[in-house]
Amino acid sequence: MIPVTCRTEYLTGRHHNSASGAWIVMMVALVALVGLNVAGVDGLVVSAVVAGLLAVSLAAAAYGRLGDRGAVLLTVDDDTVYFGDEDRTLVSYPLAALRSFAIGGPADDTSPMTGQRAQHLTVSGQKYLKLTFARDQPRVGTRTDEDLDSDFWRVAISEGDPAATAVIDRLRMHAPQRVSALKSSTLKSSTQKSSVQKQAAPQQEAGAGRWEKASVPPDRDPADDENSPVDLRRPRIADAGSDEAAQRLWEEATRRHDEVLGVYGTYELDPALLLKYPAVTDVTVEQTQTFHLALDEATALRTDAYPGNRGRADAYQQSVAALRRAWIACEKHGRRIGAGYLEPADQDALGTALKLYNHAAASSTAAEQATYYGRVRDIVTTMTDRGVLHPPEAAVAELHAVTRRALEAGTPNA
């Protein structure tokens, strides 16, 4: 597993001290300007003094800005969690020692200080992970057993960084039962509803098999769930904490864009899917039209590299989110109705074509395959010419290609 690192920057003492010094010197320059004029000092002298003080103020501000920011690092690999201050010491714990984690904050201050019960690596204004690790050697004391054999940490994370989301996903795999950022009211309400849920259990069991292999329906993204225990709703580029985080969010949007294109491409290149679910690629179907409009918009906003303009990048990210929602609706509707939107005779024709295609795929004789594929091609071509079916060009081209390959395979060599 490739290690994933999230980095949360903060202003160091150098930045704060230089900013304070620059402000103080600037105030001194203003006071000197007024005082020297009142005292009747020559104008050239006043100008020189004030200009010198302003130069010192700008130099102090520049000294602070040119300094590197500090950063809190959090890395997760196959079996270890590493975190700490980039300019100081990193600590590590085995993932097997992770007892629980939750999201807290935003933090009130930037604090590298260590307390008796918790080590703080917080950044002002940023959220943080509350991590609990089992300690190898429990301490002796009068507190509870959990306090004595556990280490408590608060580690800053940047909410707009997709790397932080990846880190949270990996932590969840090792401590799923203790992940919680829900309000106590939510927990109380769930307790009050427990008796009702027990009564409804028999009805729920009847449909339990529907999602046996998935924790959420396939048309629902857990990252968009407002009630997710950990807030994984997709952060926006416009709200990213740094340019690096904004670029990573843009890269994530391009990946999700490519995923949609890849899934849709299977419907264009697999004749069996065309025959079984024609509505998914039929542009006369409303949901499919909406998907293609969203696809056109996302394609128009996409660039080969990160555009550097946050407004443009954010617009692309939001268009990809709309594209994914449109695709989910399109595929869900298309698979639900199949060929049911066509006339009964046309449904029967597509059903026959699908059977012929399956026979061809199962046949081991090239000549027989060519015959079956040819009949499928004729059915699709006839329905397309009548305006009943509206398959994408790629799907028709693939159907012609498999027919041609079967014919060539069945033709004896000269």
Side-chain angles (χ1 to χ4, degrees):
M1 183 184 296
I2 299 175
V4 176
T5 300
C6 59
R7 186 172 184 271
T8 307
E9 294 184 347
Y10 63 88
L11 297 177
T12 64
R14 169 175 173 170
H15 296 88
H16 293 294
N17 293 336
S18 64
S20 299
W23 183 83
I24 291 173
V25 174
M26 182 174 292
M27 292 300 100
V28 171
L30 293 176
V31 172
L33 176 63
V34 175
L36 292 176
N37 281 324
V38 171
V41 178
D42 184 72
L44 292 177
V45 176
V46 173
S47 299
V49 171
V50 173
L53 291 172
L54 290 177
V56 172
S57 176
L58 293 175
Y63 172 76
R65 286 183 173 273
L66 293 176
D68 294 332
R69 292 191 175 197
V72 174
L73 301 182
L74 175 59
T75 300
V76 180
D77 61 15
D78 288 337
D79 53 13
T80 309
V81 182
Y82 307 88
F83 51 86
D85 193 298
E86 185 177 50
D87 297 327
R88 300 180 185 179
T89 304
L90 294 178
V91 298
S92 64
Y93 287 88
L95 274 173
L98 178 64
R99 287 186 168 180
S100 68
F101 78 95
I103 291 183
D108 295 329
D109 57 6
T110 300
S111 175
M113 298 179 62
T114 301
Q116 292 182 350
R117 297 186 57 187
Q119 290 80 26
H120 300 288
L121 291 165
T122 56
V123 174
S124 178
Q126 298 286 355
K127 291 190 175 182
Y128 52 83
L129 290 182
K130 296 183 285 187
L131 304 174
T132 304
F133 295 96
R135 187 185 300 113
D136 291 337
Q137 299 294 330
R139 291 180 297 192
V140 178
T142 58
R143 293 194 296 272
T144 65
D145 292 340
E146 184 177 0
D147 290 336
L148 294 174
D149 64 1
S150 301
D151 284 336
F152 303 91
W153 288 87
R154 294 182 178 182
V155 183
I157 57 172
S158 178
E159 191 176 13
D161 190 346
T165 302
V167 166
I168 290 172
D169 287 339
R170 293 192 179 183
L171 293 177
R172 181 197 281 113
M173 295 170 59
H174 294 271
Q177 74 283 4
R178 298 291 297 277
V179 179
S180 176
L182 294 176
K183 295 181 180 179
S184 58
S185 59
T186 305
L187 299 177
K188 292 180 180 178
S189 63
S190 63
T191 303
Q192 295 172 354
K193 293 179 181 178
S194 60
S195 60
V196 178
Q197 292 174 346
K198 291 180 180 178
Q199 296 176 0
Q203 289 81 359
Q204 294 175 350
E205 290 176 358
R210 185 178 180 185
W211 308 119
E212 288 179 353
K213 296 183 180 180
S215 58
V216 294
D219 60 328
R220 180 165 160 259
D221 186 352
D224 299 326
D225 188 354
E226 293 183 356
N227 295 320
S228 175
V230 177
D231 186 5
L232 292 178
R233 287 172 290 175
R234 299 291 174 183
R236 290 189 57 167
I237 290 177
D239 301 327
S242 65
D243 290 339
E244 291 79 6
Q247 182 170 349
R248 286 194 291 269
L249 287 171
W250 178 86
E251 292 170 351
E252 173 71 6
T254 62
R255 184 187 66 79
R256 292 165 71 84
H257 189 175
D258 290 339
E259 284 181 352
V260 173
L261 293 176
V263 177
Y264 178 69
T266 61
Y267 286 89
E268 288 194 328
L269 298 177
D270 188 345
L273 291 178
L274 167 65
L275 300 173
K276 192 173 182 179
Y277 306 114
V280 174
T281 54
D282 192 333
V283 293
T284 64
V285 177
E286 180 180 355
Q287 288 81 356
T288 307
Q289 287 181 356
T290 302
F291 164 69
H292 278 278
L293 290 174
L295 179 60
D296 290 342
E297 181 177 358
T299 302
L301 290 172
R302 181 165 181 168
T303 53
D304 293 334
Y306 178 64
N309 183 309
R310 281 210 190 182
R312 173 70 180 270
D314 184 74
Y316 171 67
Q317 182 196 39
Q318 299 311 304
S319 71
V320 171
L323 170 64
R324 188 172 184 277
R325 290 192 296 269
W327 167 243
I328 290 173
C330 172
E331 185 182 33
K332 180 180 179 180
H333 178 263
R335 294 182 73 92
R336 179 173 59 83
I337 67 171
Y341 69 105
L342 301 175
E343 295 294 332
D346 296 321
Q347 294 181 38
D348 293 340
L350 272 187
T352 300
L354 180 59
K355 292 178 181 178
L356 292 170
Y357 186 86
N358 291 333
H359 285 319
S363 177
S364 58
T365 305
E368 192 176 65
Q369 286 183 335
T371 300
Y372 286 143
Y373 283 141
R375 291 179 62 186
V376 173
R377 179 195 58 194
D378 293 341
I379 292 174
V380 172
T381 301
T382 300
M383 295 181 68
T384 303
D385 292 341
R386 289 172 47 220
V388 175
L389 197 64
H390 303 84
E393 294 181 1
V396 176
E398 180 63 20
L399 186 56
H400 282 278
V402 296
T403 305
R404 184 176 62 256
R405 288 195 293 267
L407 289 171
E408 292 173 350
T411 301
N413 293 329

